[in-house]
Amino acid sequence: MVDTHFKKGAKIEISSDEEGFRGAWFPGAVIKPPAKKGRKVHVEYETLFTDENGTSLLRETIDLVQIRPTPPRETSRIFKLSEEVDAFFNDGWWEGVVTELLEGSRYSVYFRGTGEQLEFEDSDLRLHREWVDGKWVPPLEIEGGGEAEKLSMTAETNPSKEMEKEAFSKGSLVEVSSDEDGFQGAWFAATVVRAIGKDKFLIEYRDLRTEDDTEFLKEQVDGLHIRPYPPDTLKVDKFKLYEEVDALYNDGWWVGVVSKVLSGSRYLVYFKGTNEEMEFEYSDLRLHQDWIDGKWVVASKALNIED
């Protein structure tokens, strides 16, 4: 059945595949919901216009994988160093990481996708959340330190500093992301060679080799571009329609959404970042997991569209 979050008039956020807008979520509303078992929805943006004068709001017909409900937001929040946030910039919300706490409720935020670092008022920031299986992760915090709800597939507690240190110790298996063109959005398996000062590591890729192909590529990365290797704790017999997955392609894992279930344990996967749809074997897919606030969160469905 059609998700009740996406009825006519519902407030939503929209992702775009157009160059210069990828990676952002823009506020909007549903103009025409999808037909039963359909994938297309007609939307209207709140901050994007068809004309330079700003008199006519942009409307588009897009795929359901490009929309989500509007995330909840605390009335006030003091952000922490290295906390993942969304920053409102260029008419949309862009995911970044707090890299510096400034005076006057201002923060410096680093954007992995572009390699830029910009300053923001706290009013233009919100805690980064993922829409997972019909719930927001992490959940909205209730005043007094409680939580509105807990997702059963997240860890019970945050890891201690010792656990984090151990996760990136010499010889640890990790995944590394890159800001270089052609590699953005992917995670590559690597091994920690050694720590270099504070929050920097020398790593050796497991599958990427040097240009002369004589050895595996070594590189220095910072704490913003490294994470523990995802646990292989959830095995599924088959993937479901609209399930969020990572696909192994070009030696890295790229996040996508199952857009069609084919015969013979094969799947079509849609990648929002490039607007591509590709076919994969079951063995080249895994459930997508996010490293959020020191915990692994397993996204069992990107959208709650069909039973």
Side-chain angles (χ1 to χ4, degrees), residues 229 232 234-241 243-249 252-262 265-271 278-289:
Y229 197 82
D232 190 20
L234 274 184
K235 285 284 188 181
V236 294
D237 294 329
K238 60 182 180 180
F239 297 101
K240 302 174 184 176
L241 189 64
E243 199 154 40
E244 201 167 14
V245 295
D246 293 335
L248 185 60
Y249 178 67
W253 292 97
W254 305 75
V255 61
V257 176
V258 175
S259 55
K260 189 173 183 180
V261 178
L262 307 174
S265 297
R266 296 183 66 83
Y267 301 84
L268 277 182
V269 177
Y270 172 74
F271 301 95
M278 299 176 64
E279 190 174 313
F280 290 90
E281 298 276 358
Y282 166 86
S283 57
D284 290 330
L285 298 176
R286 70 184 185 189
L287 286 176
H288 177 67
Q289 301 181 68

mmCIF file of all heavy atoms in Angstrom, residues 229 232 234-241 243-249 252-262 265-271 278-289:
data_model
loop_
_atom_site.group_PDB
_atom_site.id
_atom_site.type_symbol
_atom_site.label_atom_id
_atom_site.label_comp_id
_atom_site.label_asym_id
_atom_site.label_seq_id
_atom_site.Cartn_x
_atom_site.Cartn_y
_atom_site.Cartn_z
ATOM 1 N N TYR A 229 35.033 -1.499 10.071
ATOM 2 C CA TYR A 229 34.433 -2.316 9.026
ATOM 3 C C TYR A 229 33.047 -2.764 9.494
ATOM 4 O O TYR A 229 32.890 -3.227 10.633
ATOM 5 C CB TYR A 229 35.299 -3.539 8.734
ATOM 6 C CG TYR A 229 34.974 -4.205 7.425
ATOM 7 C CD1 TYR A 229 35.492 -3.708 6.231
ATOM 8 C CD2 TYR A 229 34.138 -5.303 7.374
ATOM 9 C CE1 TYR A 229 35.196 -4.305 5.021
ATOM 10 C CE2 TYR A 229 33.827 -5.908 6.158
ATOM 11 C CZ TYR A 229 34.355 -5.406 4.987
ATOM 12 O OH TYR A 229 34.050 -5.991 3.791
ATOM 13 N N ASP A 232 29.163 -8.087 9.998
ATOM 14 C CA ASP A 232 28.401 -8.982 9.121
ATOM 15 C C ASP A 232 27.427 -9.795 9.974
ATOM 16 O O ASP A 232 27.457 -11.022 9.989
ATOM 17 C CB ASP A 232 29.367 -9.897 8.371
ATOM 18 C CG ASP A 232 28.662 -10.680 7.263
ATOM 19 O OD1 ASP A 232 27.570 -10.250 6.847
ATOM 20 O OD2 ASP A 232 29.201 -11.712 6.837
ATOM 21 N N LEU A 234 23.915 -9.338 10.040
ATOM 22 C CA LEU A 234 22.570 -9.537 9.487
ATOM 23 C C LEU A 234 22.660 -10.146 8.095
ATOM 24 O O LEU A 234 23.075 -9.487 7.148
ATOM 25 C CB LEU A 234 21.811 -8.217 9.430
ATOM 26 C CG LEU A 234 21.066 -7.791 10.697
ATOM 27 C CD1 LEU A 234 20.295 -6.521 10.433
ATOM 28 C CD2 LEU A 234 20.112 -8.876 11.156
ATOM 29 N N LYS A 235 22.299 -11.400 7.983
ATOM 30 C CA LYS A 235 22.254 -12.077 6.694
ATOM 31 C C LYS A 235 20.800 -12.215 6.265
ATOM 32 O O LYS A 235 19.934 -12.561 7.070
ATOM 33 C CB LYS A 235 22.893 -13.462 6.806
ATOM 34 C CG LYS A 235 24.414 -13.440 6.883
ATOM 35 C CD LYS A 235 25.026 -13.155 5.515
ATOM 36 C CE LYS A 235 26.535 -13.332 5.540
ATOM 37 N NZ LYS A 235 27.125 -13.038 4.217
ATOM 38 N N VAL A 236 20.527 -11.939 5.016
ATOM 39 C CA VAL A 236 19.175 -12.101 4.495
ATOM 40 C C VAL A 236 19.215 -13.075 3.329
ATOM 41 O O VAL A 236 20.201 -13.143 2.583
ATOM 42 C CB VAL A 236 18.572 -10.751 4.043
ATOM 43 C CG1 VAL A 236 18.362 -9.833 5.233
ATOM 44 C CG2 VAL A 236 19.451 -10.072 3.008
ATOM 45 N N ASP A 237 18.138 -13.849 3.167
ATOM 46 C CA ASP A 237 18.061 -14.796 2.051
ATOM 47 C C ASP A 237 17.885 -14.075 0.719
ATOM 48 O O ASP A 237 18.374 -14.518 -0.318
ATOM 49 C CB ASP A 237 16.907 -15.775 2.272
ATOM 50 C CG ASP A 237 17.141 -16.670 3.478
ATOM 51 O OD1 ASP A 237 18.312 -16.966 3.771
ATOM 52 O OD2 ASP A 237 16.153 -17.052 4.128
ATOM 53 N N LYS A 238 17.175 -12.955 0.772
ATOM 54 C CA LYS A 238 16.971 -12.149 -0.431
ATOM 55 C C LYS A 238 16.680 -10.717 -0.020
ATOM 56 O O LYS A 238 16.239 -10.442 1.100
ATOM 57 C CB LYS A 238 15.825 -12.712 -1.279
ATOM 58 C CG LYS A 238 14.484 -12.762 -0.564
ATOM 59 C CD LYS A 238 13.428 -13.390 -1.467
ATOM 60 C CE LYS A 238 12.074 -13.457 -0.751
ATOM 61 N NZ LYS A 238 11.035 -14.053 -1.606
ATOM 62 N N PHE A 239 16.934 -9.805 -0.931
ATOM 63 C CA PHE A 239 16.675 -8.395 -0.667
ATOM 64 C C PHE A 239 15.281 -8.026 -1.174
ATOM 65 O O PHE A 239 14.767 -8.620 -2.116
ATOM 66 C CB PHE A 239 17.741 -7.527 -1.347
ATOM 67 C CG PHE A 239 19.126 -7.779 -0.824
ATOM 68 C CD1 PHE A 239 20.007 -8.579 -1.535
ATOM 69 C CD2 PHE A 239 19.541 -7.244 0.377
ATOM 70 C CE1 PHE A 239 21.284 -8.832 -1.068
ATOM 71 C CE2 PHE A 239 20.811 -7.493 0.868
ATOM 72 C CZ PHE A 239 21.681 -8.279 0.147
ATOM 73 N N LYS A 240 14.696 -7.023 -0.538
ATOM 74 C CA LYS A 240 13.340 -6.613 -0.862
ATOM 75 C C LYS A 240 13.339 -5.338 -1.694
ATOM 76 O O LYS A 240 14.307 -4.579 -1.705
ATOM 77 C CB LYS A 240 12.536 -6.386 0.423
ATOM 78 C CG LYS A 240 12.456 -7.607 1.329
ATOM 79 C CD LYS A 240 11.768 -7.248 2.639
ATOM 80 C CE LYS A 240 11.752 -8.424 3.607
ATOM 81 N NZ LYS A 240 11.157 -8.049 4.921
ATOM 82 N N LEU A 241 12.223 -5.113 -2.365
ATOM 83 C CA LEU A 241 12.045 -3.891 -3.142
ATOM 84 C C LEU A 241 12.164 -2.682 -2.229
ATOM 85 O O LEU A 241 11.615 -2.674 -1.125
ATOM 86 C CB LEU A 241 10.675 -3.911 -3.819
ATOM 87 C CG LEU A 241 10.391 -2.806 -4.843
ATOM 88 C CD1 LEU A 241 11.321 -2.909 -6.038
ATOM 89 C CD2 LEU A 241 8.933 -2.875 -5.290
ATOM 90 N N GLU A 243 14.673 -1.731 -0.587
ATOM 91 C CA GLU A 243 15.596 -1.915 0.521
ATOM 92 C C GLU A 243 16.905 -1.184 0.207
ATOM 93 O O GLU A 243 17.387 -1.186 -0.920
ATOM 94 C CB GLU A 243 15.863 -3.400 0.746
ATOM 95 C CG GLU A 243 16.416 -3.716 2.114
ATOM 96 C CD GLU A 243 16.090 -5.137 2.526
ATOM 97 O OE1 GLU A 243 16.150 -6.047 1.679
ATOM 98 O OE2 GLU A 243 15.780 -5.343 3.708
ATOM 99 N N GLU A 244 17.461 -0.545 1.224
ATOM 100 C CA GLU A 244 18.696 0.193 1.040
ATOM 101 C C GLU A 244 19.867 -0.770 1.177
ATOM 102 O O GLU A 244 19.982 -1.488 2.178
ATOM 103 C CB GLU A 244 18.802 1.319 2.072
ATOM 104 C CG GLU A 244 19.754 2.420 1.673
ATOM 105 C CD GLU A 244 19.600 3.661 2.539
ATOM 106 O OE1 GLU A 244 18.960 3.589 3.593
ATOM 107 O OE2 GLU A 244 20.134 4.702 2.148
ATOM 108 N N VAL A 245 20.741 -0.784 0.187
ATOM 109 C CA VAL A 245 21.836 -1.749 0.140
ATOM 110 C C VAL A 245 23.137 -1.041 -0.239
ATOM 111 O O VAL A 245 23.142 0.090 -0.714
ATOM 112 C CB VAL A 245 21.555 -2.872 -0.882
ATOM 113 C CG1 VAL A 245 20.358 -3.715 -0.457
ATOM 114 C CG2 VAL A 245 21.340 -2.295 -2.287
ATOM 115 N N ASP A 246 24.245 -1.746 -0.014
ATOM 116 C CA ASP A 246 25.538 -1.353 -0.571
ATOM 117 C C ASP A 246 25.860 -2.337 -1.685
ATOM 118 O O ASP A 246 25.691 -3.549 -1.519
ATOM 119 C CB ASP A 246 26.639 -1.415 0.484
ATOM 120 C CG ASP A 246 26.469 -0.392 1.586
ATOM 121 O OD1 ASP A 246 25.834 0.641 1.333
ATOM 122 O OD2 ASP A 246 26.972 -0.633 2.702
ATOM 123 N N ALA A 247 26.328 -1.813 -2.800
ATOM 124 C CA ALA A 247 26.675 -2.659 -3.946
ATOM 125 C C ALA A 247 28.179 -2.597 -4.184
ATOM 126 O O ALA A 247 28.778 -1.513 -4.198
ATOM 127 C CB ALA A 247 25.928 -2.194 -5.195
ATOM 128 N N LEU A 248 28.800 -3.767 -4.361
ATOM 129 C CA LEU A 248 30.237 -3.844 -4.617
ATOM 130 C C LEU A 248 30.491 -3.574 -6.098
ATOM 131 O O LEU A 248 30.087 -4.353 -6.965
ATOM 132 C CB LEU A 248 30.766 -5.228 -4.222
ATOM 133 C CG LEU A 248 32.281 -5.420 -4.319
ATOM 134 C CD1 LEU A 248 33.014 -4.431 -3.414
ATOM 135 C CD2 LEU A 248 32.655 -6.848 -3.965
ATOM 136 N N TYR A 249 31.187 -2.468 -6.372
ATOM 137 C CA TYR A 249 31.417 -2.040 -7.749
ATOM 138 C C TYR A 249 32.709 -1.220 -7.784
ATOM 139 O O TYR A 249 32.937 -0.365 -6.916
ATOM 140 C CB TYR A 249 30.228 -1.198 -8.238
ATOM 141 C CG TYR A 249 30.356 -0.656 -9.640
ATOM 142 C CD1 TYR A 249 30.346 -1.503 -10.743
ATOM 143 C CD2 TYR A 249 30.494 0.710 -9.857
ATOM 144 C CE1 TYR A 249 30.466 -1.005 -12.031
ATOM 145 C CE2 TYR A 249 30.609 1.225 -11.141
ATOM 146 C CZ TYR A 249 30.595 0.363 -12.224
ATOM 147 O OH TYR A 249 30.723 0.857 -13.502
ATOM 148 N N GLY A 252 34.760 -0.864 -4.518
ATOM 149 C CA GLY A 252 34.213 -0.176 -3.351
ATOM 150 C C GLY A 252 32.744 -0.492 -3.155
ATOM 151 O O GLY A 252 32.088 -1.074 -4.023
ATOM 152 N N TRP A 253 32.231 -0.109 -2.004
ATOM 153 C CA TRP A 253 30.819 -0.304 -1.678
ATOM 154 C C TRP A 253 30.071 1.018 -1.848
ATOM 155 O O TRP A 253 30.421 2.015 -1.212
ATOM 156 C CB TRP A 253 30.664 -0.806 -0.243
ATOM 157 C CG TRP A 253 31.174 -2.200 -0.029
ATOM 158 C CD1 TRP A 253 32.393 -2.572 0.457
ATOM 159 C CD2 TRP A 253 30.472 -3.417 -0.308
ATOM 160 N NE1 TRP A 253 32.502 -3.940 0.505
ATOM 161 C CE2 TRP A 253 31.334 -4.489 0.044
ATOM 162 C CE3 TRP A 253 29.202 -3.714 -0.805
ATOM 163 C CZ2 TRP A 253 30.965 -5.831 -0.089
ATOM 164 C CZ3 TRP A 253 28.841 -5.047 -0.939
ATOM 165 C CH2 TRP A 253 29.704 -6.086 -0.592
ATOM 166 N N TRP A 254 29.046 1.014 -2.707
ATOM 167 C CA TRP A 254 28.291 2.214 -3.050
ATOM 168 C C TRP A 254 26.845 2.041 -2.574
ATOM 169 O O TRP A 254 26.205 1.037 -2.870
ATOM 170 C CB TRP A 254 28.309 2.443 -4.560
ATOM 171 C CG TRP A 254 29.685 2.513 -5.140
ATOM 172 C CD1 TRP A 254 30.543 1.474 -5.362
ATOM 173 C CD2 TRP A 254 30.377 3.686 -5.572
ATOM 174 N NE1 TRP A 254 31.719 1.914 -5.903
ATOM 175 C CE2 TRP A 254 31.659 3.262 -6.039
ATOM 176 C CE3 TRP A 254 30.058 5.038 -5.609
ATOM 177 C CZ2 TRP A 254 32.604 4.153 -6.539
ATOM 178 C CZ3 TRP A 254 31.006 5.925 -6.113
ATOM 179 C CH2 TRP A 254 32.252 5.496 -6.569
ATOM 180 N N VAL A 255 26.310 3.030 -1.873
ATOM 181 C CA VAL A 255 24.963 2.910 -1.334
ATOM 182 C C VAL A 255 23.924 3.152 -2.432
ATOM 183 O O VAL A 255 24.053 4.061 -3.256
ATOM 184 C CB VAL A 255 24.745 3.894 -0.161
ATOM 185 C CG1 VAL A 255 24.913 5.338 -0.606
ATOM 186 C CG2 VAL A 255 23.363 3.689 0.461
ATOM 187 N N GLY A 256 22.919 2.280 -2.459
ATOM 188 C CA GLY A 256 21.839 2.392 -3.439
ATOM 189 C C GLY A 256 20.550 1.819 -2.882
ATOM 190 O O GLY A 256 20.479 1.431 -1.718
ATOM 191 N N VAL A 257 19.550 1.747 -3.718
ATOM 192 C CA VAL A 257 18.235 1.241 -3.329
ATOM 193 C C VAL A 257 17.785 0.192 -4.345
ATOM 194 O O VAL A 257 17.903 0.421 -5.561
ATOM 195 C CB VAL A 257 17.197 2.383 -3.264
ATOM 196 C CG1 VAL A 257 15.812 1.840 -2.952
ATOM 197 C CG2 VAL A 257 17.598 3.412 -2.220
ATOM 198 N N VAL A 258 17.303 -0.943 -3.865
ATOM 199 C CA VAL A 258 16.790 -1.984 -4.756
ATOM 200 C C VAL A 258 15.553 -1.446 -5.476
ATOM 201 O O VAL A 258 14.534 -1.155 -4.857
ATOM 202 C CB VAL A 258 16.430 -3.270 -3.983
ATOM 203 C CG1 VAL A 258 15.777 -4.289 -4.915
ATOM 204 C CG2 VAL A 258 17.674 -3.867 -3.330
ATOM 205 N N SER A 259 15.650 -1.286 -6.785
ATOM 206 C CA SER A 259 14.537 -0.734 -7.562
ATOM 207 C C SER A 259 13.719 -1.804 -8.269
ATOM 208 O O SER A 259 12.592 -1.561 -8.685
ATOM 209 C CB SER A 259 15.065 0.278 -8.589
ATOM 210 O OG SER A 259 16.060 -0.309 -9.402
ATOM 211 N N LYS A 260 14.299 -3.011 -8.404
ATOM 212 C CA LYS A 260 13.549 -4.110 -9.003
ATOM 213 C C LYS A 260 14.188 -5.438 -8.602
ATOM 214 O O LYS A 260 15.404 -5.580 -8.625
ATOM 215 C CB LYS A 260 13.518 -3.988 -10.529
ATOM 216 C CG LYS A 260 12.561 -4.974 -11.208
ATOM 217 C CD LYS A 260 12.439 -4.702 -12.700
ATOM 218 C CE LYS A 260 11.430 -5.622 -13.360
ATOM 219 N NZ LYS A 260 11.296 -5.360 -14.812
ATOM 220 N N VAL A 261 13.338 -6.399 -8.225
ATOM 221 C CA VAL A 261 13.804 -7.742 -7.889
ATOM 222 C C VAL A 261 13.682 -8.601 -9.142
ATOM 223 O O VAL A 261 12.583 -8.788 -9.677
ATOM 224 C CB VAL A 261 12.985 -8.350 -6.733
ATOM 225 C CG1 VAL A 261 13.461 -9.769 -6.430
ATOM 226 C CG2 VAL A 261 13.080 -7.469 -5.492
ATOM 227 N N LEU A 262 14.801 -9.129 -9.619
ATOM 228 C CA LEU A 262 14.827 -9.935 -10.833
ATOM 229 C C LEU A 262 14.884 -11.419 -10.488
ATOM 230 O O LEU A 262 15.006 -11.798 -9.323
ATOM 231 C CB LEU A 262 16.047 -9.549 -11.678
ATOM 232 C CG LEU A 262 16.200 -8.061 -12.006
ATOM 233 C CD1 LEU A 262 17.522 -7.810 -12.708
ATOM 234 C CD2 LEU A 262 15.039 -7.571 -12.864
ATOM 235 N N SER A 265 18.226 -14.560 -8.386
ATOM 236 C CA SER A 265 18.969 -13.854 -7.325
ATOM 237 C C SER A 265 19.735 -12.657 -7.863
ATOM 238 O O SER A 265 20.884 -12.391 -7.490
ATOM 239 C CB SER A 265 19.934 -14.813 -6.612
ATOM 240 O OG SER A 265 19.225 -15.840 -5.966
ATOM 241 N N ARG A 266 19.094 -11.905 -8.756
ATOM 242 C CA ARG A 266 19.678 -10.688 -9.304
ATOM 243 C C ARG A 266 18.756 -9.515 -9.007
ATOM 244 O O ARG A 266 17.543 -9.678 -8.855
ATOM 245 C CB ARG A 266 19.914 -10.816 -10.817
ATOM 246 C CG ARG A 266 20.927 -11.904 -11.174
ATOM 247 C CD ARG A 266 21.190 -11.957 -12.671
ATOM 248 N NE ARG A 266 21.857 -10.756 -13.147
ATOM 249 C CZ ARG A 266 23.175 -10.550 -13.086
ATOM 250 N NH1 ARG A 266 23.964 -11.457 -12.551
ATOM 251 N NH2 ARG A 266 23.712 -9.455 -13.554
ATOM 252 N N TYR A 267 19.355 -8.312 -8.951
ATOM 253 C CA TYR A 267 18.604 -7.138 -8.531
ATOM 254 C C TYR A 267 19.035 -5.920 -9.341
ATOM 255 O O TYR A 267 20.206 -5.789 -9.703
ATOM 256 C CB TYR A 267 18.841 -6.846 -7.044
ATOM 257 C CG TYR A 267 18.457 -7.978 -6.123
ATOM 258 C CD1 TYR A 267 19.351 -9.023 -5.871
ATOM 259 C CD2 TYR A 267 17.203 -8.020 -5.525
ATOM 260 C CE1 TYR A 267 19.002 -10.077 -5.034
ATOM 261 C CE2 TYR A 267 16.848 -9.069 -4.689
ATOM 262 C CZ TYR A 267 17.749 -10.096 -4.452
ATOM 263 O OH TYR A 267 17.394 -11.130 -3.634
ATOM 264 N N LEU A 268 18.063 -5.044 -9.610
ATOM 265 C CA LEU A 268 18.387 -3.730 -10.142
ATOM 266 C C LEU A 268 18.554 -2.792 -8.952
ATOM 267 O O LEU A 268 17.708 -2.771 -8.045
ATOM 268 C CB LEU A 268 17.285 -3.212 -11.056
ATOM 269 C CG LEU A 268 17.285 -3.683 -12.513
ATOM 270 C CD1 LEU A 268 16.146 -3.021 -13.278
ATOM 271 C CD2 LEU A 268 18.613 -3.366 -13.193
ATOM 272 N N VAL A 269 19.631 -2.019 -8.957
ATOM 273 C CA VAL A 269 19.908 -1.090 -7.858
ATOM 274 C C VAL A 269 20.021 0.319 -8.431
ATOM 275 O O VAL A 269 20.719 0.554 -9.428
ATOM 276 C CB VAL A 269 21.203 -1.470 -7.118
ATOM 277 C CG1 VAL A 269 21.518 -0.448 -6.031
ATOM 278 C CG2 VAL A 269 21.075 -2.863 -6.510
ATOM 279 N N TYR A 270 19.326 1.252 -7.786
ATOM 280 C CA TYR A 270 19.319 2.651 -8.219
ATOM 281 C C TYR A 270 20.248 3.463 -7.320
ATOM 282 O O TYR A 270 20.191 3.363 -6.092
ATOM 283 C CB TYR A 270 17.896 3.219 -8.154
ATOM 284 C CG TYR A 270 17.812 4.705 -8.386
ATOM 285 C CD1 TYR A 270 17.966 5.229 -9.665
ATOM 286 C CD2 TYR A 270 17.565 5.582 -7.333
ATOM 287 C CE1 TYR A 270 17.881 6.599 -9.886
ATOM 288 C CE2 TYR A 270 17.473 6.953 -7.545
ATOM 289 C CZ TYR A 270 17.639 7.453 -8.827
ATOM 290 O OH TYR A 270 17.560 8.806 -9.033
ATOM 291 N N PHE A 271 21.117 4.267 -7.952
ATOM 292 C CA PHE A 271 22.057 5.107 -7.215
ATOM 293 C C PHE A 271 21.655 6.570 -7.377
ATOM 294 O O PHE A 271 21.738 7.122 -8.480
ATOM 295 C CB PHE A 271 23.485 4.879 -7.726
ATOM 296 C CG PHE A 271 23.947 3.454 -7.590
ATOM 297 C CD1 PHE A 271 23.828 2.569 -8.660
ATOM 298 C CD2 PHE A 271 24.478 2.982 -6.399
ATOM 299 C CE1 PHE A 271 24.244 1.257 -8.541
ATOM 300 C CE2 PHE A 271 24.891 1.670 -6.273
ATOM 301 C CZ PHE A 271 24.772 0.805 -7.334
ATOM 302 N N MET A 278 21.752 -0.122 -12.065
ATOM 303 C CA MET A 278 22.624 -1.202 -12.519
ATOM 304 C C MET A 278 22.155 -2.530 -11.939
ATOM 305 O O MET A 278 21.466 -2.569 -10.917
ATOM 306 C CB MET A 278 24.072 -0.930 -12.095
ATOM 307 C CG MET A 278 24.647 0.355 -12.674
ATOM 308 S SD MET A 278 26.319 0.692 -12.061
ATOM 309 C CE MET A 278 27.174 -0.720 -12.731
ATOM 310 N N GLU A 279 22.552 -3.608 -12.605
ATOM 311 C CA GLU A 279 22.145 -4.959 -12.203
ATOM 312 C C GLU A 279 23.266 -5.631 -11.404
ATOM 313 O O GLU A 279 24.441 -5.533 -11.768
ATOM 314 C CB GLU A 279 21.808 -5.774 -13.447
ATOM 315 C CG GLU A 279 21.152 -7.111 -13.158
ATOM 316 C CD GLU A 279 20.710 -7.816 -14.432
ATOM 317 O OE1 GLU A 279 20.078 -7.155 -15.281
ATOM 318 O OE2 GLU A 279 21.002 -9.014 -14.572
ATOM 319 N N PHE A 280 22.884 -6.310 -10.306
ATOM 320 C CA PHE A 280 23.872 -6.952 -9.445
ATOM 321 C C PHE A 280 23.415 -8.348 -9.036
ATOM 322 O O PHE A 280 22.218 -8.607 -8.899
ATOM 323 C CB PHE A 280 24.109 -6.135 -8.166
ATOM 324 C CG PHE A 280 24.834 -4.843 -8.388
ATOM 325 C CD1 PHE A 280 24.136 -3.676 -8.652
ATOM 326 C CD2 PHE A 280 26.220 -4.801 -8.351
ATOM 327 C CE1 PHE A 280 24.793 -2.484 -8.868
ATOM 328 C CE2 PHE A 280 26.891 -3.617 -8.565
ATOM 329 C CZ PHE A 280 26.183 -2.451 -8.822
ATOM 330 N N GLU A 281 24.404 -9.216 -8.806
ATOM 331 C CA GLU A 281 24.158 -10.514 -8.208
ATOM 332 C C GLU A 281 23.923 -10.327 -6.707
ATOM 333 O O GLU A 281 24.411 -9.361 -6.108
ATOM 334 C CB GLU A 281 25.372 -11.436 -8.416
ATOM 335 C CG GLU A 281 25.718 -11.744 -9.850
ATOM 336 C CD GLU A 281 24.898 -12.888 -10.410
ATOM 337 O OE1 GLU A 281 24.088 -13.463 -9.645
ATOM 338 O OE2 GLU A 281 25.063 -13.209 -11.597
ATOM 339 N N TYR A 282 23.227 -11.267 -6.109
ATOM 340 C CA TYR A 282 22.998 -11.249 -4.663
ATOM 341 C C TYR A 282 24.321 -11.161 -3.899
ATOM 342 O O TYR A 282 24.433 -10.439 -2.903
ATOM 343 C CB TYR A 282 22.237 -12.511 -4.250
ATOM 344 C CG TYR A 282 22.222 -12.780 -2.759
ATOM 345 C CD1 TYR A 282 21.259 -12.200 -1.942
ATOM 346 C CD2 TYR A 282 23.174 -13.626 -2.182
ATOM 347 C CE1 TYR A 282 21.247 -12.440 -0.573
ATOM 348 C CE2 TYR A 282 23.172 -13.871 -0.812
ATOM 349 C CZ TYR A 282 22.210 -13.275 -0.011
ATOM 350 O OH TYR A 282 22.214 -13.510 1.336
ATOM 351 N N SER A 283 25.337 -11.881 -4.381
ATOM 352 C CA SER A 283 26.618 -11.948 -3.681
ATOM 353 C C SER A 283 27.376 -10.628 -3.667
ATOM 354 O O SER A 283 28.305 -10.451 -2.872
ATOM 355 C CB SER A 283 27.507 -13.031 -4.317
ATOM 356 O OG SER A 283 27.701 -12.769 -5.700
ATOM 357 N N ASP A 284 26.984 -9.679 -4.526
ATOM 358 C CA ASP A 284 27.652 -8.381 -4.584
ATOM 359 C C ASP A 284 26.874 -7.296 -3.863
ATOM 360 O O ASP A 284 27.139 -6.097 -4.052
ATOM 361 C CB ASP A 284 27.871 -7.965 -6.046
ATOM 362 C CG ASP A 284 28.924 -8.825 -6.733
ATOM 363 O OD1 ASP A 284 29.835 -9.287 -6.029
ATOM 364 O OD2 ASP A 284 28.819 -9.040 -7.955
ATOM 365 N N LEU A 285 25.917 -7.694 -3.039
ATOM 366 C CA LEU A 285 25.122 -6.742 -2.268
ATOM 367 C C LEU A 285 25.202 -7.056 -0.775
ATOM 368 O O LEU A 285 25.421 -8.196 -0.389
ATOM 369 C CB LEU A 285 23.650 -6.776 -2.711
ATOM 370 C CG LEU A 285 23.346 -6.397 -4.158
ATOM 371 C CD1 LEU A 285 21.867 -6.576 -4.449
ATOM 372 C CD2 LEU A 285 23.786 -4.968 -4.464
ATOM 373 N N ARG A 286 25.002 -6.041 0.036
ATOM 374 C CA ARG A 286 24.893 -6.210 1.481
ATOM 375 C C ARG A 286 23.909 -5.176 1.995
ATOM 376 O O ARG A 286 23.696 -4.120 1.358
ATOM 377 C CB ARG A 286 26.253 -6.040 2.168
ATOM 378 C CG ARG A 286 26.797 -4.618 2.156
ATOM 379 C CD ARG A 286 28.194 -4.505 2.757
ATOM 380 N NE ARG A 286 28.606 -3.108 2.834
ATOM 381 C CZ ARG A 286 29.838 -2.698 3.156
ATOM 382 N NH1 ARG A 286 30.774 -3.602 3.422
ATOM 383 N NH2 ARG A 286 30.136 -1.413 3.209
ATOM 384 N N LEU A 287 23.286 -5.438 3.144
ATOM 385 C CA LEU A 287 22.406 -4.447 3.749
ATOM 386 C C LEU A 287 23.204 -3.199 4.093
ATOM 387 O O LEU A 287 24.301 -3.287 4.639
ATOM 388 C CB LEU A 287 21.757 -5.011 5.022
ATOM 389 C CG LEU A 287 20.640 -6.035 4.829
ATOM 390 C CD1 LEU A 287 20.179 -6.567 6.178
ATOM 391 C CD2 LEU A 287 19.457 -5.417 4.090
ATOM 392 N N HIS A 288 22.643 -2.038 3.781
ATOM 393 C CA HIS A 288 23.339 -0.786 4.073
ATOM 394 C C HIS A 288 23.324 -0.506 5.572
ATOM 395 O O HIS A 288 22.295 -0.650 6.238
ATOM 396 C CB HIS A 288 22.671 0.380 3.336
ATOM 397 C CG HIS A 288 23.291 1.696 3.651
ATOM 398 N ND1 HIS A 288 24.576 2.027 3.266
ATOM 399 C CD2 HIS A 288 22.816 2.767 4.347
ATOM 400 C CE1 HIS A 288 24.848 3.242 3.690
ATOM 401 N NE2 HIS A 288 23.807 3.709 4.353
ATOM 402 N N GLN A 289 24.484 -0.110 6.101
ATOM 403 C CA GLN A 289 24.599 0.261 7.500
ATOM 404 C C GLN A 289 25.265 1.623 7.601
ATOM 405 O O GLN A 289 26.172 1.941 6.823
ATOM 406 C CB GLN A 289 25.428 -0.769 8.275
ATOM 407 C CG GLN A 289 24.851 -2.176 8.227
ATOM 408 C CD GLN A 289 25.686 -3.164 9.027
ATOM 409 O OE1 GLN A 289 25.743 -3.093 10.248
ATOM 410 N NE2 GLN A 289 26.336 -4.087 8.343
#
